């Protein structure tokens, strides 16, 4: 049996990933504040990653019949858009909790729980090009994704060096994807985000990828992790 743990499975890329995994007869556990998938092989854990109260107590289950276990840290938020100095302190904390702290804690728990299993294990972090190139007015978002990339690189290195049965780790930028996150970007006032027109044009020119096509690309990595030597990947270059 293949087991998937997918955060942010209530919509967008995460929902497409969960539905794709279910079509492949895997067992899926999703995490988000809302639950939108009904399927006999799907279990949903209602969780808010903006604070760690629930996540601290979460433990990955023992999976005796597993042939493959995959954690996809996909939940993410754009947060408040605007220059540093004009941001709400509380929103900065929430953003890092959702984008960086939750995924780091889940990765830590996953490796602890399954380190002695000899089966294939994968952690795929859904990062962003914004973690690799600075975008004005997105300081916290960019930094949270850069942190996710670095956490993944260090973890991958440790796995290769010190673990007898290592977990594959990837941090993957999905490209520009037609989800609620892009809707939110286009709604920001130009005073707060000078580049908003560029994002409106992406939509108007049909340049956004669908969540389903991006999920399909991410499965290329999950299906053959041994074919990917780099930790940091970009869906548009696969
Ligand atoms: P989306 O449609 O807005 O989905 C975000 C998901 O994250 C939802 O399932 C949401 O669930 C969950 N989430 C948000 N806040 C949460 C919280 N406090 N606690 C738990 N779950 C929370 O966005 P998306 O585009 O699919 O984004 C998926 C990932 O791709 C994110 O990490 C994002 O940074 C990354 N990404 C997206 C794009 C793009 O162009 N769309 C580009 C680069 C990177 P609930 O609201 O139900 O909690």
């Amino acid at each position: 049996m293949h087991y998937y743990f997918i955060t942010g499975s209530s919509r967008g890329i995460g929902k497409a990933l969960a539905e794709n995994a279910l079509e492949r007869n895997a067992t899926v556990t999703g995490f988000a504040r809302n639950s939108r998938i009904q399927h006999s092989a799907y279990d949903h854990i209602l969780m808010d990653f903006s604070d760690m109260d629930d996540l601290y107590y979460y433990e990955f289950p023992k999976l005796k019949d597993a042939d493959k276990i995959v954690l996809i840290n996909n939940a993410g938020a754009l947060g408040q858009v605007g220059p540093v100095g004009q941001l709400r302190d509380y929103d900065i904390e929430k953003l890092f909790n959702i984008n960086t702290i939750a995924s780091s804690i889940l990765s830590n728990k996953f490796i602890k729980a399954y380190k002695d299993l000899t089966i294939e294990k994968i952690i795929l972090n859904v990062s962003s090009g914004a973690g690799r190139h600075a975008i004005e007015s997105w300081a916290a978002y960019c930094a949270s994704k850069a942190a996710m990339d670095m956490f993944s690189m260090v973890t991958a290195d440790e796995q290769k060096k010190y673990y007898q049965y290592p977990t594959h780790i990837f941090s993957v930028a999905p490209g520009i994807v037609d989800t609620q996150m892009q809707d939110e970007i286009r709604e920001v006032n130009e005073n707060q985000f000078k580049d908003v027109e560029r994002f409106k044009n992406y939509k108007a020119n049909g340049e956004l990828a669908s969540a389903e096509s991006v999920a399909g690309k991410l499965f290329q990595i999950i299906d053959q992790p041994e074919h990917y030597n780099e930790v940091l990947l970009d869906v548009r270059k696969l």
Side-chain angles (χ1 to χ4, degrees):
M1 177 57 72
H2 291 190
Y3 288 91
Y4 285 77
F5 298 89
I6 304 176
T7 70
S9 55
S10 61
R11 61 173 189 263
I13 299 168
K15 184 160 182 276
L17 283 163
E19 286 169 344
N20 194 322
L22 289 166
E23 275 165 27
R24 295 151 167 258
N25 296 320
T27 296
V28 179
T29 302
F31 304 73
R33 292 166 300 177
N34 300 283
S35 173
R36 297 209 180 85
I37 297 177
Q38 298 286 337
H39 191 288
S40 55
Y42 180 79
D43 185 29
H44 192 86
I45 298 182
L46 287 174
M47 208 178 270
D48 185 349
F49 291 143
S50 65
D51 67 54
M52 293 303 124
D53 288 356
D54 295 337
L55 186 57
Y56 276 139
Y57 297 102
Y58 179 74
E59 294 300 338
F60 283 96
K62 295 215 178 331
L63 299 170
K64 292 210 171 91
D65 60 345
D67 311 303
K68 176 165 180 158
I69 315 180
V70 182
L71 166 64
I72 306 179
N73 284 307
N74 160 80
L78 179 66
Q80 188 191 354
V81 174
V84 176
Q86 297 180 20
L87 303 177
R88 293 176 293 268
D89 299 340
Y90 174 68
D91 279 333
I92 297 175
E93 182 188 9
K94 261 177 37 177
L95 179 84
F96 278 96
N97 281 343
I98 299 165
N99 291 0
T100 311
I101 311 291
S103 59
S104 304
I105 290 178
L106 278 169
S107 297
N108 188 48
K109 287 179 183 288
F110 181 93
I111 289 171
K112 203 180 287 179
Y114 301 131
K115 66 180 187 315
D116 295 327
L117 299 187
T118 59
I119 57 166
E120 188 165 66
K121 296 163 289 181
I122 301 171
I123 298 175
L124 191 150
N125 292 323
V126 180
S127 179
S128 173
R132 300 167 194 173
H133 312 282
I135 300 180
E136 219 175 276
S137 293
W138 291 16
Y141 182 79
C142 289
S144 71
K145 293 296 188 176
M148 178 183 246
D149 281 351
M150 186 52 84
F151 192 93
S152 307
M153 289 199 295
V154 175
T155 310
D157 207 29
E158 291 168 355
Q159 287 297 301
K160 279 187 205 134
K161 281 190 184 149
Y162 304 119
Y163 282 74
Q164 197 176 359
Y165 309 116
T167 295
H168 297 276
I169 319 280
F170 301 102
S171 194
V172 190
I176 303 167
V177 194
D178 200 359
T179 64
Q180 189 172 311
M181 187 172 278
Q182 286 293 325
D183 298 346
E184 286 172 27
I185 294 169
R186 290 192 302 275
E187 280 162 18
V188 179
N189 190 302
E190 208 180 333
N191 298 334
Q192 292 301 106
F193 180 39
K194 291 211 172 58
D195 242 1
V196 67
E197 204 54 37
R198 180 158 62 91
F199 285 83
K200 288 182 180 168
N201 287 337
Y202 288 145
K203 175 72 173 175
N205 299 335
E207 291 176 51
L208 301 184
S210 71
E212 292 72 21
S213 69
V214 169
K217 293 270 190 178
L218 294 174
F219 268 98
Q220 285 180 23
I221 303 168
I222 293 165
D223 287 342
Q224 295 190 303
E226 67 284 359
H227 285 194
Y228 298 88
N229 294 323
E230 302 295 322
V231 176
L232 302 191
L233 296 169
D234 187 326
V235 157
R236 288 168 293 189
K237 294 184 185 152
L238 293 182

